[in-house]
Amino acid sequence: MAPAKGIMERLNAGEVVIGDGGFVFALEKRGYVKAGPWTPEATVEHPEAVRQLHREFLRAGANVMQTFTFYASDDKLENRGHKQSYTGAQINEAACNLAREVANEGDALVAGGVSQTPSYLSCKSEADVKAIFKKQLDVFVKKNVDFLIAEYFEHVEEAVWAVEVLKQTGKPVAASLCIGPEGDMHGVSPGECAVRLVKAGAQIVGVNCHFDPLTCVKTVKMMKAAVEKAGLRAHYMVQPLAFHTPDCNCQGFIDLPEFPFGLEPRILTRWDMHEYAREAYKAGIRFIGGCCGFEPYHIRAVAEELAAERGITPPGSEKHGMWGAGLEMHTKPWVRARARRDYWEKLKPASGRPLCSSMSNPDSWGVTKGHAELMQQKEATTKQQLKELFERSKTH
Amino acid sequence: MAPAKGIMERLNAGEVVIGDGGFVFALEKRGYVKAGPWTPEATVEHPEAVRQLHREFLRAGANVMQTFTFYASDDKLENRGHKQSYTGAQINEAACNLAREVANEGDALVAGGVSQTPSYLSCKSEADVKAIFKKQLDVFVKKNVDFLIAEYFEHVEEAVWAVEVLKQTGKPVAASLCIGPEGDMHGVSPGECAVRLVKAGAQIVGVNCHFDPLTCVKTVKMMKAAVEKAGLRAHYMVQPLAFHTPDCNCQGFIDLPEFPFGLEPRILTRWDMHEYAREAYKAGIRFIGGCCGFEPYHIRAVAEELAAERGITPPGSEKHGMWGAGLEMHTKPWVRARARRDYWEKLKPASGRPLCSSMSNPDSWGVTKGHAELMQQKEATTKQQLKELFERSKTH
Amino acid sequence: MAPAKGIMERLNAGEVVIGDGGFVFALEKRGYVKAGPWTPEATVEHPEAVRQLHREFLRAGANVMQTFTFYASDDKLENRGHKQSYTGAQINEAACNLAREVANEGDALVAGGVSQTPSYLSCKSEADVKAIFKKQLDVFVKKNVDFLIAEYFEHVEEAVWAVEVLKQTGKPVAASLCIGPEGDMHGVSPGECAVRLVKAGAQIVGVNCHFDPLTCVKTVKMMKAAVEKAGLRAHYMVQPLAFHTPDCNCQGFIDLPEFPFGLEPRILTRWDMHEYAREAYKAGIRFIGGCCGFEPYHIRAVAEELAAERGITPPGSEKHGMWGAGLEMHTKPWVRARARRDYWEKLKPASGRPLCSSMSNPDSWGVTKGHAELMQQKEATTKQQLKELFERSKTH
Amino acid sequence: MAPAKGIMERLNAGEVVIGDGGFVFALEKRGYVKAGPWTPEATVEHPEAVRQLHREFLRAGANVMQTFTFYASDDKLENRGHKQSYTGAQINEAACNLAREVANEGDALVAGGVSQTPSYLSCKSEADVKAIFKKQLDVFVKKNVDFLIAEYFEHVEEAVWAVEVLKQTGKPVAASLCIGPEGDMHGVSPGECAVRLVKAGAQIVGVNCHFDPLTCVKTVKMMKAAVEKAGLRAHYMVQPLAFHTPDCNCQGFIDLPEFPFGLEPRILTRWDMHEYAREAYKAGIRFIGGCCGFEPYHIRAVAEELAAERGITPPGSEKHGMWGAGLEMHTKPWVRARARRDYWEKLKPASGRPLCSSMSNPDSWGVTKGHAELMQQKEATTKQQLKELFERSKTH
């Protein structure tokens, strides 16, 4: 059973499409994804956990179930000694099945996703890199996903290659870079990136991951302005972090010293998400979702903020109530006194960490594509390699 | 199938028992529990979500599956207009089934839990309050849970009543107050509280919820010192918040302006949990778990910190690696450089919120048991009642 | 010319006496005092600078000109290789002359001050320590100061010795410890300290330095309660730091890592001083001044807050205006909009330092009187001694 | 007696010239300047206070004594009901006498200064505005100052007018805007501003006030790059705030909610000044001084950082010792352990204010030259005018 309306029909009709949140961070916290490799073998090892997370995002209001195929290319799956019991094809197939199963439980589309490859960072040829995308794509075609997303690319060149491969299917293609206002890792501006992606055939362009919501919205605005200036047409998407990142440089949250195991104090509240959803909507972005750090309640907040525009409240709101209304039932009167929009909109939440600062100095090693240390390595990182890195990190 | 070894056998043998984390906050974020009433009807409405959370805690290393029966007394279930489709008995039974099902998948015990009642706050008689506990207990007996926990009591008097009821079953009884070093809401010191609970028959005493881990450990130490000074014997438990609360008064995190929808910046990291587990262990506490804010990875961190003492690593560690070792497989060299204990132990994580402070002024309304505003009310809070509360909150 | 009314007449009449602020920190910033030794040779080397600071405090509303004789005992003046061109007697005499000269320009009293000695820390005998106080006292008698203050004592025992010496002159004696609520360095409580000082003959007791204003007021309240409980009578004084010190242990700001060259972010605003003055007044303290960190405008704020109670506005207020009223004349309208009490009372001033935290971990070496490292040493600290300290500080 | 070497001789020889710090903020804290009007009548009312501050800056290493003639134009002196007992000419003359008296005590030059006028903001004609500068200039010529500074201009147009007037004397002219990287209040970039000023005849250009040191250095670098690109030649000066202002918009610290009575937590430490001096020097700036917030010890830190380059240590260093060396003489061993550069360079000083944030939202009223609310007004601001402003400030 395919959903009634495709992604292009919805966007062309001016509808707001709510995306889901990031799976690797959410499932890492639940115990099914390993931070470091960040690969999605959970689709075969623990399908019940992946299915449950899909369900929660659906319940939160998501219209898109992205297949949990992040980093599911064979070159990445076995990077640096990360042994796998399953092939890339098995992992990708299982991901498609899970996404479709849950999508059918509601009004959601299945999007097959590919992302950046170690091969590109290792300076492999265009043909080699495209062959990797093609392999994942074969599964998506077989499983008949509803549309495709090329996401989490640091270099627009690789994203263009991905779009070119994905376009061959005839399915709608979205392309999403993990860049900020300073542009991609080669210094190509967001506007220029977007123009190239649209010219390559992407119908939807935008950014995901690496930066906080308002920074991402700002970046997509730059994309939109450039696409329009070039006389092109596209739809726009945004799937940011659920972490505040005012102190990032161009590499995004990867460079923050807190990445990935100390990001808790940066997690956005649901009220931050209301602001994000409103700003994204006002910017003309109509595919609005999330990435790393998003939990189901964050997506629900996006859906609640846009409930009037969409004419629908997500199923999960039965256990919420707008703007904290559920607190009217709290036992304590001073908590009932917080059952109002005004209270939560103005709240500036304290960190509870008086020994910690509000910003960090990001690492800035200046290491980019082509540098030896970014090369693909099948063997585990050696003790000697680690020792050298530890020393180096102390002098930065 | 009952587990091989009971709670008392384990504790008497000096073993560390790892508890699970709090269900209401975790399931609120997943979309199955409503903040405000905080009741557990999800056990019948969405058993798959409750089951999955049990599984994640089991996988994280928990030896105890607490039935998700928090606030599942009939007087609480229907408080302030919160309509229910299921009876308290149905909700409690379903909770027992789910806990047992998952406990049987590993080495875990099922603990049936009761908690404080609106009836007590409304000054009902001892007999009335005890009758409420008895009703939940009947289900626990029928379902043959392994032991019982009276938890989340703000007044030691009510906790003693609960212990007296639970003792009638002959099952081991644990008692856990939600108090800090200043004692219960009537000013009874932690030490005195513990002595009364032990005298009432509790074999395990401690605290849960309301304060951060190190504050809770400190409070249990006060309990232990007093119990020993009184020449009594007991085991000790601690199930704290996963939120930093340096700015709380005696009422705990309920009084913080961030409760319950702005607590994100206060969430503990996994490294904070290592410190917590070590301090709890050093204090002689052997039942070590979590409450609100704990996600599965927090419990896993507790289990990893105590892996040597327990001679076991939790299943979920297959997707982790001690002290960030998984980062050895990260693509970026500066992230691989973080694959070491020294790095994470020293990190002081920034909040990413330069417009926010590190502490808040807690509400302190001075409203306690017997005050009209704490009285049970079956009808929904009226608009007029809310208006008065809103006004009042502005002058505090 | 002596002032019309003595200190005891004023206090007995219930008047508020405004003290001055600390000289060592203020003159260190102006370039006349060396941080480390903190000795007052500026009275002879640069009398114009000392005179000017006296004048500024007088203009700010101070009723007391303390002779700038802090640490002006011979054993301290030559500590650790600090060569002096002048004798202690010369420095003390010059200090008396300057204080009297400026006191005569307004309604102010001259107070001769002695403070703790290296000799006491070096375990010299009571007779030896008293001889040191006596030597300074001889100058005060010759110069006929109006009353005497024994201030900045970490150990009540030494303060009692000082009071016993000062009492011999027949002049009123005030005694002020640099302790907080935890008591003196031997663990004697504030209350017990105060009782001992009153019994030794001090007519005025209190605390100065080491802690922020509200902590000092709290400590003096403990003193007052104990003195009254003992059926004794006294007046009370407080001369706190102008630095916020929420993170101090019993040793006070000396232990903070920011002492003494990084304390800027902790400096109190004038509005903090209003609150301090009000709280001190409400606590029944009537000799209200300042210590390290106080600049003339801080004392003026104290005088302005208590203008109604005292029936007088300080001369310096001609260049101020209550609660920011001078801003009514500002060019920019949004600054004129700040010309109101409400604005400044509610302001929570940002640090402008997003990479810094709000609290520090104090050093806590546990080194006290009698320990070798606190012993008097005439020779300069050697390179080897420093090296050992540097190493040690890294492991703390 | 004129000093041996003029400003141009020094700068042309590549020497570093150390400026003094700001007088209005320093003397406000000492009780001689009124915040709001910020006018310098203290030169006649309390010459001893002004003289003493000059001396302290001289002792700290300053080579320039700026006449305390800030806002000493007749139109500003009587703004908004600020009655004066002295004429502008009297105030300016007294300022010149004081500066010369102290300059002669050391190796310092006297600089006569003019600053922006209310007349310009009130849209008076070029001739009217120039007439105001001319009136102050007549005094400077009569008193034979060594060179002239046109400083604290928000609009380059007015600064150019000032330079054109000052050039008529034949004395060297420096021009300093109070702008940041975003340029002047009409949006003219720093580079363009600098080019215009050099073309108008300024031999030295740069910025002062409104932003913190590193922001000011950054702005002057932009100026230098543009001047060089235009094939022009100039020397460069910088006299920044001693407040951290990471959160400012183009209007600078005036817009911060803490201005002017809550800036304490933002005050730079002496170690921040070392960094500032080094960065300014590395940027090729050779006239390095300070503005609001600078105390004598800040200027001394600048002089100490550049002691090797200048071949001279300031007189005030006799009471300091490089990098905290004076602490070698401290009684407490853990404070002696801080007598080292490494310690202070790495210190991140805590604010001691856990209820405060690290940044603020600046006011941004968007009111600029020509707007009614910026117009000159001789009469005091009325109660009704204030009421309107208070209301308005609440909605911003």
Side-chain angles (χ1 to χ4, degrees), chain B residues 232-254:
Chain B
L232 299 169
R233 286 194 51 137
H235 294 292
Y236 300 92
M237 71 182 292
V238 63
Q239 305 218 90
L241 298 178
F243 303 113
H244 287 289
T245 62
D247 38 3
C248 275
N249 58 20
C250 69
Q251 184 84 48
F253 84 143
I254 307 286

Side-chain angles (χ1 to χ4, degrees), chain D residues 87-355:
Chain D
T87 65
Q90 287 174 308
I91 291 168
N92 281 285
E93 275 208 41
C96 290
N97 291 341
L98 289 163
R100 177 62 72 197
E101 176 189 346
V102 178
N104 286 352
E105 295 174 7
D107 174 35
L109 299 159
V110 172
V114 301
S115 44
Q116 69 180 10
T117 62
S119 295
Y120 180 79
L121 283 183
S122 302
C123 303
K124 296 280 174 64
S125 72
E126 181 176 340
D128 286 348
V129 172
K130 284 185 164 176
I132 287 168
F133 297 134
K134 182 63 170 48
K135 221 169 143 184
Q136 278 189 270
L137 187 63
D138 289 343
V139 177
F140 297 146
V141 169
K142 174 180 163 194
K143 288 293 174 180
N144 195 28
V145 301
D146 300 314
F147 70 104
L148 297 163
I149 305 182
E151 73 168 359
Y152 197 75
F153 286 91
E154 291 175 319
H155 300 86
V156 67
E157 181 182 53
E158 189 184 11
V160 165
W161 294 350
V163 169
E164 289 169 353
V165 174
L166 299 185
K167 283 304 291 178
Q168 300 168 359
T169 61
K171 289 182 189 289
V173 172
S176 180
L177 306 177
C178 51
I179 66 170
E182 295 179 54
D184 90 345
M185 293 306 100
H186 288 151
V188 185
S189 73
E192 172 66 16
C193 287
V195 167
R196 288 196 206 169
L197 291 167
V198 173
K199 287 186 175 165
Q203 287 112 317
I204 309 165
V205 294
V207 299
N208 76 304
C209 205
H210 274 209
F211 295 92
D212 60 29
L214 298 188
T215 305
C216 284
V217 169
K218 183 180 167 190
T219 309
V220 177
K221 278 167 136 173
M222 295 166 78
M223 288 179 151
K224 187 162 179 278
V227 168
E228 289 171 359
K229 201 177 161 194
L232 299 169
R233 287 194 48 136
H235 293 291
Y236 300 92
M237 71 184 292
V238 62
Q239 305 218 92
L241 297 179
F243 303 112
H244 287 289
T245 62
D247 38 2
C248 274
N249 57 20
C250 69
Q251 183 84 48
F253 84 143
I254 307 286
D255 273 18
L256 292 177
E258 292 85 3
F259 176 86
F261 295 133
L263 292 163
E264 280 80 352
R266 297 173 179 266
I267 300 174
L268 272 78
T269 67
R270 60 197 74 196
W271 320 116
D272 293 327
M273 290 301 174
H274 276 264
E275 187 187 8
Y276 153 55
R278 182 56 50 199
E279 291 303 312
Y281 184 82
K282 285 186 347 198
I285 303 169
R286 289 295 177 268
F287 182 167
I288 303 171
C291 198
C292 300
F294 270 74
E295 298 287 340
Y297 77 104
H298 289 125
I299 290 295
R300 182 177 62 192
V302 170
E304 289 186 348
E305 174 66 26
L306 298 173
E309 285 78 4
R310 299 174 70 232
I312 191 171
T313 302
S317 291
E318 69 165 317
K319 295 294 175 191
H320 196 224
M322 292 292 274
W323 294 104
L327 298 184
E328 295 174 8
M329 286 185 268
H330 200 278
T331 315
K332 305 292 196 299
W334 62 94
V335 179
R336 292 199 294 274
R338 298 172 192 160
R340 54 197 162 97
R341 174 171 182 164
D342 182 55
Y343 181 86
W344 294 108
E345 277 193 325
K346 284 193 186 149
L347 183 79
K348 298 223 171 293
S351 71
R353 287 171 164 89
L355 295 174

Side-chain angles (χ1 to χ4, degrees), chain A residues 28 31 41 59 255 257-258 264-265 267 270 297 319 328 334 338 340 343 350 352-353 358 363 381 393, chain B residues 28 31 41 59 255 257-258 264-265 267 270 297 319 328 334 338 340 343 350 352-353 358 363 381 393:
Chain A
E28 196 278 334
E41 59 276 8
R59 183 168 161 77
D255 273 19
E258 291 86 3
E264 280 80 352
I267 300 173
R270 61 198 73 197
Y297 77 105
K319 294 294 175 192
E328 294 174 8
W334 61 95
R338 298 171 192 159
R340 56 195 161 99
Y343 182 86
R353 287 170 164 91
S358 67
D363 278 341
T381 311
S393 95
Chain B
E28 196 279 334
E41 59 276 10
R59 182 169 160 77
D255 273 17
E258 291 87 2
E264 281 80 352
I267 299 174
R270 60 197 74 196
Y297 77 105
K319 295 293 176 193
E328 294 174 7
W334 62 93
R338 298 172 193 159
R340 54 193 162 97
Y343 181 85
R353 288 170 162 90
S358 66
D363 279 340
T381 312
S393 95

